[in-house]
Amino acid sequence: AAKQRGRARVEVFTSELRSHALNKLSIESELRAAIREGELVVHYQPIVRLDTAEVVAYEALVRWQHPNRGLLLPEEFIEVCEEANLVVPLGAFVITEACEFIAAHPEFTGRVFVNVSTRQIGSADLTRVVTHALDATGIDPHRLGLEITESGMLIATQAAKSDLDGLTALGVDLIIDDFGTGYSALSSVLLNPVSGLKLAREFTLRLGDRGTGDRISTTVATLTRSLHMSGVIEGVESEAQRAIAREHGWQLGQGFLFGHAKPAHELDLRGPSSVADPHEGPVPSAG
Ligand code: C2E
Ligand code: MG
Ligand code: MG
Ligand code: MG
């Protein structure tokens, strides 16, 4: 009986493994087709001034408009992408889209941040892909920021180092994403030409605890300022969090309170000065 149970367990295990492998394989080939056939789309989430809610930048976030499964979020396919070596074409797609977005919307004068997977750094193509997208669209490189996690900043290979230096030489900003959640957070700042950081949402969730959460937020805001970097606090969902973040010294924020990621055509890209207030009468003329 024990032997039979053993065999049954092995069979279950094997078939689970097989379906997992099959699933990965089919997602992989579907993803290849998706990239080819334009099923990937980029949505944009605002990054705002916490005091006025003025949009200063957008983060480009990839989605997969799947023909049967609907709109898929990155958590459902980025990992497969990385394992299947598809991050290079995926990354190239998002970077190109972001540059074209900037070029196509002269009414928007802010910046766009693009996520770069650790696997893309040092893969030889990253600097070339960015160079190509900048050349093709003619945008000012300073309008593009690349979000890289701490682990991405700390790849010790020469290829990775030359990618990060190469991108900085192009004039593209490097920003640490999810700051505080990786290893060696401070050496990622120390060892790289980093222009900003984004405090991870898990710290924002702890705002107002009158303890460790508040102290970390205050300390990182101070660190950011004293290193002359730009800081964004992520995952701001409530007015209470916004108020506390401001007290702690954060000037820029991102989160559902200010807006979810949306397709470019659904964004209001007019600058704050051109937004007419329907409750205001005609502007009185001087004198
Ligand atoms: P991330 O770079 O930290 O992006 C922020 C994520 O938090 C986004 O999820 C965004 O929708 C979500 N978010 C923003 N504000 C709030 C909030 O107030 N509350 C909550 N609960 N969530 C909020 P999304 O779009 O699902 O992306 C997840 C992750 O996938 C990103 O985390 C990023 O690491 C990765 N990713 C997204 N787009 C790309 C891409 O084009 N390339 C690569 N390599 N990775 C990407
Ligand atoms: Mg990001
Ligand atoms: Mg983040
Ligand atoms: Mg994240």
Side-chain angles (χ1 to χ4, degrees):
K3 200 172 150 194
Q4 215 151 6
R5 266 206 311 278
R7 187 180 300 139
R9 215 168 23 235
V10 167
E11 274 163 14
V12 167
F13 180 62
T14 316
S15 78
E16 258 175 23
L17 252 187
R18 193 183 299 124
S19 82
H20 178 73
L22 271 178
N23 190 32
K24 237 183 72 181
L25 237 146
S26 74
I27 292 178
E28 182 183 328
S29 69
E30 274 187 67
L31 247 175
R32 278 182 207 283
I35 294 174
R36 224 176 28 238
E37 278 153 37
E39 287 170 18
L40 292 186
V41 291
V42 176
H43 286 188
Y44 298 88
Q45 186 182 26
I47 295 170
V48 306
R49 279 180 55 159
L50 288 170
D51 55 355
T52 60
E54 178 194 343
V55 177
V56 298
Y58 284 98
E59 177 174 5
L61 294 161
V62 72
R63 274 94 182 84
W64 180 1
Q65 188 62 67
H66 193 280
N68 326 118
R69 295 201 284 149
L71 194 68
L72 304 181
L73 295 175
E75 63 183 15
E76 297 177 80
F77 61 91
I78 286 283
E79 218 181 284
V80 177
C81 236
E82 299 199 329
E83 288 167 8
N85 258 326
L86 288 170
V87 278
V88 172
L90 175 118
F93 168 76
V94 181
I95 289 164
T96 306
E97 281 287 306
C99 292
E100 284 173 358
F101 169 86
I102 294 172
H105 298 282
E107 69 276 32
F108 171 67
T109 55
R111 305 163 71 209
V112 176
F113 294 173
V114 176
N115 292 284
V116 169
S117 150
T118 297
R119 296 261 182 132
Q120 279 170 273
I121 300 162
S123 70
D125 279 9
L126 185 58
T127 308
R128 199 171 56 83
V129 162
V130 173
T131 305
H132 185 262
L134 292 173
D135 288 349
T137 54
I139 65 156
D140 176 356
H142 293 286
R143 309 244 344 249
L144 183 68
L146 297 181
E147 297 191 5
I148 299 172
T149 59
E150 287 151 342
S151 59
M153 291 286 186
L154 291 170
I155 309 172
T157 63
Q158 196 48 52
K161 202 88 207 87
S162 72
D163 245 350
L164 297 180
D165 291 343
L167 292 164
T168 305
L170 285 175
V172 171
D173 277 345
L174 306 183
I175 298 141
I176 302 181
D177 201 359
D178 301 335
F179 184 84
T181 60
Y183 297 112
S184 307
L186 294 178
S187 53
S188 67
V189 177
L190 189 66
L191 300 174
N192 293 289
V194 168
S195 73
L197 62 80
K198 299 177 79 175
L199 184 68
R201 188 173 92 88
E202 64 185 80
F203 300 104
T204 309
L205 288 170
R206 294 281 300 271
L207 290 183
D209 69 357
R210 294 166 190 268
T212 312
D214 282 334
R215 293 205 188 97
I216 289 176
S217 162
T218 311
T219 304
V220 178
T222 305
L223 173 79
T224 306
R225 247 195 333 275
S226 63
L227 293 173
H228 305 290
M229 299 198 298
S230 69
V232 176
I233 184 159
E234 294 191 279
V236 178
E237 294 183 354
S238 70
E239 284 293 350
Q241 289 171 337
R242 175 192 189 173
I244 297 168
R246 287 186 64 193
E247 276 169 30
H248 290 176
W250 294 97
Q251 283 165 4
L252 302 178
Q254 177 178 0
F256 296 163
L257 178 66
F258 306 106
H260 285 73
K262 286 190 220 164
H265 66 88
E266 287 179 26
L267 302 173
D268 182 3
L269 293 167
R270 296 167 303 170
S273 55
S274 65
V275 179
D277 184 345
H279 302 294
E280 245 172 41
V283 179
S285 52

